[in-house]
Amino acid sequence: FLLAVSSFWFGCNNAAKEIVKERTIYTRERDFNLRVGSYYTSKLLLLTAISWLQTLLLFSIVRLWCNPPGPFANELVVLLALALAGVTMGLAISALAATEEMAITLIPMVVIPQIILSGTIAPLASWSKWLALVGVSTYWGKRGLDASLPEAVAKTVGLEQHSTGIAVLVLLAHAAVGIAVALTVLSWQSRRRGLAALLGRTSGRPGDDGD
């Protein structure tokens, strides 16, 4: 559970300020035909690499000192998928936030539900269960890690095991949603700025009453 939350937090915290802090530069570069997709991809690849490195270091230390049961590769894949989901969530926050302060404020508002609705702090039922199934990455990360445990260990501690593969696929789907949200917001902001600039030029034509 702690590994799952930490991996998601690495990605979200790394990415949440990256777009909003460069908004002035990004706006200026957009005037010189910087593509939204290219800009976003550069951020996504770099931040994912950093978050994956952090996750790998953390997991390696945990394996060395605590030696949790289960295959290293399977558990690492789940944690890397969680970090990717965190990065895309952080970039979506950064695209939506008006200021860096707002982005920083939104980070705990995103991470806290990931802790509460992970299914570890308290049992989930009814609407909270459905919410976790649909939108809580740490819930699926925890399921994926539980599925990687040896069956004897899982039975001993009373864990319900599912499929690691399905958990990873859901986490990738969460990442895809985060990417779509960020790209949609960035594209909409660019169109809005372009329309505002066009209207400004139109209203400022020579001969208008305001000249």
Side-chain angles (χ1 to χ4, degrees), residues 65-134:
W65 289 99
C66 303
N67 194 29
F72 178 87
N74 286 13
E75 294 173 347
L76 180 61
V77 167
V78 174
L79 295 176
L80 294 180
L82 269 168
L84 174 61
V87 168
T88 58
M89 176 66 76
L91 288 174
I93 290 173
S94 196
L96 288 165
T99 64
E100 285 188 63
E101 290 74 17
M102 180 181 293
I104 294 171
T105 302
L106 289 174
I107 293 173
M109 295 179 65
V110 170
V111 174
I112 288 173
Q114 296 288 333
I115 296 173
I116 296 174
L117 297 176
S118 65
T120 303
I121 300 298
L124 303 176
S126 186
W127 66 269
S128 61
K129 179 77 168 183
W130 285 104
L131 185 59
L133 286 169
V134 172

Side-chain angles (χ1 to χ4, degrees), residues 129-150:
K129 179 77 168 183
W130 285 104
L131 185 59
L133 286 169
V134 172
V136 179
S137 297
T138 54
Y139 174 80
W140 286 99
K142 179 65 165 54
R143 287 164 71 101
L145 293 174
D146 288 346
S148 299
L149 292 173

